[in-house]
Amino acid sequence: QKEVEQDPGPLSVPEGAIVSLNCTYSNSAFQYFMWYRQYSRKGPELLMYTYSSGNKEDGRFTAQVDKSSKYISLFIRDSQPSDSATYLCAMGKGNTDKLIFGTGTRLQVFP
Amino acid sequence: DAGITQSPRHKVTETGTPVTLRCHQTENHRYMYWYRQDPGHGLRLIHYSYGVKDTDKGEVSDGYSVSRSKTEDFLLTLESATSSQTSVYFCAIRRSGSTTDTQYFGPGTRLTVL
């Protein structure tokens, strides 16, 4: 069993929809939680960073961490075609040196 | 932009040949990382460095070596490339700030081993 599980998708939604992306994990030692966005043939770019539990909002993006359920989510409001990318979750334990990544969820937002 | 460049950006090589990939950063970060990305596996850590001449193994280090003789450069070497090392390789740096402490990635090197 992988430490971090992520549905690979693809997830296809119409423009303006609310998107929910999720990861589950098995190791309760994870304290750092990140979401990266990766466009085709590009490097991952940091989207959201959360330490410990709770919610964090940045514009149209909201990251949630539920440590009791070992579950993290990324919500995208008013999705745009430019949000079409692969979204990777990543987690770290005592620090952010050895991150464990999910396999990524491919999102397509159609006009 | 994390101030990271990788070279070459694309490379095709033959089985058994040595290959060196270079990661260069301009922001004087202490920590640097090499990952490979493959379908179905996501990003997996190969090696990382926590200072000049200080390196450690990651999850998938077999067949790879690294060197860091200067803060700004982190080299990944495949001593004798195999077809299983065909992948996209990403370099990353760790940046610590007031609100974040995490890794930022370079543009990647696409390596094909025939």
Side-chain angles (χ1 to χ4, degrees), chain A residues 3-6 22-26 69-72 89 91:
Chain A
E3 280 191 286
V4 177
E5 298 278 0
Q6 186 175 9
N22 311 295
C23 287
T24 59
Y25 62 95
S26 57
S69 302
K70 298 191 182 67
Y71 189 87
I72 69 169
C89 63
M91 306 180 189

Side-chain angles (χ1 to χ4, degrees), chain A residues 2 32 34 36 38 41-46 49 56 88 95-104, chain B residues 9 31 33 35 37 40-43 45 48 57 90 94 99-107 110:
Chain A
K2 292 182 179 179
Y32 297 86
M34 284 134 284
Y36 289 84
Q38 186 175 23
R41 294 184 172 264
K42 301 289 186 182
E45 56 177 322
L46 181 68
Y49 167 91
K56 186 172 184 178
L88 307 167
N95 55 49
T96 54
D97 271 338
K98 292 189 177 182
L99 296 180
I100 305 297
F101 284 83
T103 51
Chain B
R9 295 293 313 280
Y31 292 85
Y33 309 82
Y35 289 86
Q37 187 175 38
H41 290 279
L43 283 158
L45 181 64
Y48 69 104
K57 295 179 179 181
F90 289 99
R94 178 180 165 190
T99 56
T100 61
D101 177 359
T102 190
Q103 296 182 24
Y104 295 82
F105 288 83
R110 190 169 294 268

Side-chain angles (χ1 to χ4, degrees), chain A residues 14-17 21 24-25 35-36 38 43 46 48 54-55 60-61 64 69 80-81 89 93 97 100 106-107:
Chain A
E15 183 175 356
L21 304 167
T24 59
Y25 62 95
W35 286 95
Y36 289 84
Q38 186 175 23
L46 181 68
M48 299 291 279
N55 295 359
R60 296 185 296 111
F61 300 90
Q64 288 185 352
S69 302
Q80 303 295 310
C89 63
K93 298 171 188 173
D97 271 338
I100 305 297
R106 190 156 61 91
L107 171 67

Side-chain angles (χ1 to χ4, degrees), chain B residues 10 16 20 38 49 51 62 67 80 97 104:
Chain B
H10 299 86
T20 295
D38 305 288
S49 170
D62 287 348
S67 65
S80 178
Y104 295 82

